[in-house]
Amino acid sequence: MPTIKDVAKSAGVSPSTVSRVINNHPRISSETRKKVKESMKRIGYHPNIIARSLVKQKTNTLGLVMPYSTEEAFADPFYSEILRGIGSVAQDKEYSLLLITSNGEQEELEVTLKAVRSKRVDGLLILRAKSNDALLKELKELETPFVVVGRPEDEKNNFWVNNDNIESTKNLIEYLIGLGHKRIGVITGDSEYIVYKDRLEGYRRALYHNGIEYNPNYVIQTTGHHGLTTRYTKELLESYPKLTAIFAVDDLIAYGAILGIKELGLKVPDDISVVGFNNNPLSQLITPALTTVDINIFELGSTATKSLINIISEDPKEYYHEIVKTNIIVRDSCGGDKGEVDGNGE
Amino acid sequence: MPTIKDVAKSAGVSPSTVSRVINNHPRISSETRKKVKESMKRIGYHPNIIARSLVKQKTNTLGLVMPYSTEEAFADPFYSEILRGIGSVAQDKEYSLLLITSNGEQEELEVTLKAVRSKRVDGLLILRAKSNDALLKELKELETPFVVVGRPEDEKNNFWVNNDNIESTKNLIEYLIGLGHKRIGVITGDSEYIVYKDRLEGYRRALYHNGIEYNPNYVIQTTGHHGLTTRYTKELLESYPKLTAIFAVDDLIAYGAILGIKELGLKVPDDISVVGFNNNPLSQLITPALTTVDINIFELGSTATKSLINIISEDPKEYYHEIVKTNIIVRDSCGGDKGEVDGNGE
DNA sequence: CTGAAAGCGCTAACAC
DNA sequence: GTGTTAGCGCTTTCAG
């Protein structure tokens, strides 16, 4: 493999001149520039990025911290889709992407810290927001630029991009309320993840704003294991047969819920309405097609990446965050509440 | 950030000694080893991987060439899952993962070649097998180690890992035939991808081995766009109402097919049986639960990664490939052919 | 078993 | 506008 020296010899200039044309240095005669470029092409030269990184103390690489996760969480196309968004701007801005995977909290911490300490990456995209996140604390001490996709607990002192999960959920639930539903069950995920906390909060606010009392018994927390979701849904509906709608905090959970409802011999939306969240591409294919919230995952990824690159290069003095719009996608999984056409309270 | 020199000073040894303890050099006194390790810890030293890569001419990084793809192809959890398999062994063997994404054939080629020419990666995992693949040709010229996940066209002169798609499909179709089906429609994907070619071939072989004539009109090629899948399925069934089963070359396609069947007012499996492929985690959740083939995606990823690492370090003289086992998952989407209980041919 | 010195391929003052 | 020189942080002969 030819190096910059070979090009220099072949073009009859010094290595620094070659370096300058590579880096588009302004003060270089168009003549030598041309000469050098020809030499590069002739001998098949390509700059060694590693060497450049070493002297520049910059790798032009972004680390992607994937959630360590069960098989099933990974089945979530969320990650494929956000990778698309991230990849698209990284490509554009000439950044590479280092995938950081792990099998648990401890390993995630170690692997991620190693990547930054060993100077493999210029910054990180954290693809989830958790409570009490040890990773974020360590990262701040290392002064690594990072942006989290989601709302971190300490939202004033981090860079992040997210949907407004509280408000979006509130709107979604109010759509249900508008249809006449008052007793709405919730199947939520691991409360360690802030996204689920927020969606639950949105649910509560919707009830509150509409004078409906919040009943904690209507809320079931599942582990993300689909089989369990189905079972929990059935148990919930058996315990509280007056429920007329189910809010699943994620479409994948909604699928399990719908299955549970069907297994009970009930119909969606005739007996029970169901809403999900995230607008999984499959949600338009199931029967009934699922009413859900499109959270614009691609944009979440691209926005976060732009932010990170900006932070790396500009070192902004103030923390900031960005909110990506959502919109409700009304499909066929909700009906009016036929069980209680009069009255307006519990 | 402290460097090896700082450690050396602090421990009262030379930089080379420090380097030796980092690299577990055998001929080093356990005393100095201890002393050096303490110094490293004390001053918070972490080796700079970039510098090491430069001198070793090795990055310990694997490039992952993701298929450039539409929004919907990305929704396929195949990629999430294979990433898990890859990540798990890469982690274990201390390799990093560079994600290579692109928006089209040309960009994919450029970006990938750039990654290898600029010495960013030691080898590549190509996550798809296409006909007439320009990328593979270029890569061979560059003498980069790579393994393809799938069966490349020139199977004798490449490293690859794959399922036996032909045989697996043959078995799947024979399961259908065993149930009494003889007129089986096929919804397949882009024939540029060898996986779909092979599955179609398996279908033909199953028919052939059972004395059933192959009818090309029963085979529809879709683009992977779900909406179209649904429409094509309906058209197929309207044109050939005698079909009693549908073979979808991928579960995602099967979902669209099932929707089409339902829209026609027909029932699965009572009127039409459906089988898919890949065992998407959602396939157990839909109604009816889909009979499909589990292709062990995680193992596909881990096997390919082990192979690649082996190739990088051992430089084997012969090409080889590995086959990952599949197994049919029988669920509820197939019934016997009630339309034609007698007879055994067309 | 340890140290000195050279160098991986590139960039960046500093000269001229 | 271009060349010279030093050096990024590490590994690796070669001595001893």
Side-chain angles (χ1 to χ4, degrees), chain B residues 63-68 98-117 121 123-149 152-154 157-159 192-194 319:
Chain B
L64 307 184
V65 182
M66 307 292 290
Y68 48 87
L98 192 80
L99 207 61
I100 301 177
T101 59
S102 58
N103 291 307
E105 190 164 5
Q106 188 53 33
E107 188 179 288
E108 179 191 74
L109 190 66
E110 285 167 13
V111 172
T112 308
L113 293 180
K114 186 173 176 188
V116 345
R117 288 182 176 137
V121 297
L124 294 167
L125 249 20
I126 315 288
L127 302 186
R128 46 119 189 92
K130 290 199 308 180
S131 293
N132 215 311
D133 195 337
L135 180 60
L136 301 199
K137 289 184 195 114
E138 296 270 15
L139 253 22
K140 298 197 96 169
E141 279 185 17
L142 291 179
E143 300 184 0
T144 330
F146 66 90
V147 356
V148 359
V149 176
E153 228 165 12
D154 184 2
N157 296 299
N158 280 293
F159 296 102
E192 187 181 37
Y193 291 96
I194 292 165
Y319 286 108

Side-chain angles (χ1 to χ4, degrees), chain A residues 32-93:
Chain A
T32 40
R33 184 184 305 270
K34 191 168 151 243
K35 203 167 51 180
V36 168
K37 287 205 165 166
E38 274 166 7
S39 292
M40 298 199 309
K41 185 157 259 174
R42 178 153 30 82
I43 66 180
Y45 168 81
H46 294 272
N48 182 318
I49 286 200
I50 303 294
R52 179 185 298 166
S53 295
L54 181 57
V55 24
K56 288 210 172 175
Q57 301 285 57
K58 184 164 189 309
T59 57
N60 261 259
T61 302
L62 273 22
L64 307 185
V65 182
M66 306 293 289
Y68 49 86
S69 41
T70 67
E71 203 173 315
E72 286 164 17
F74 246 99
D76 194 336
F78 178 90
Y79 297 103
S80 298
E81 179 67 3
I82 201 168
L83 251 33
R84 273 186 67 231
I86 293 168
S88 123
V89 355
Q91 196 59 72
D92 195 51
K93 308 265 189 189

Side-chain angles (χ1 to χ4, degrees), chain A residues 89-102:
Chain A
V89 355
Q91 196 59 72
D92 195 51
K93 308 265 189 189
E94 315 238 72
Y95 270 82
S96 298
L97 264 17
L98 192 81
L99 207 60
I100 299 175
T101 60
S102 59

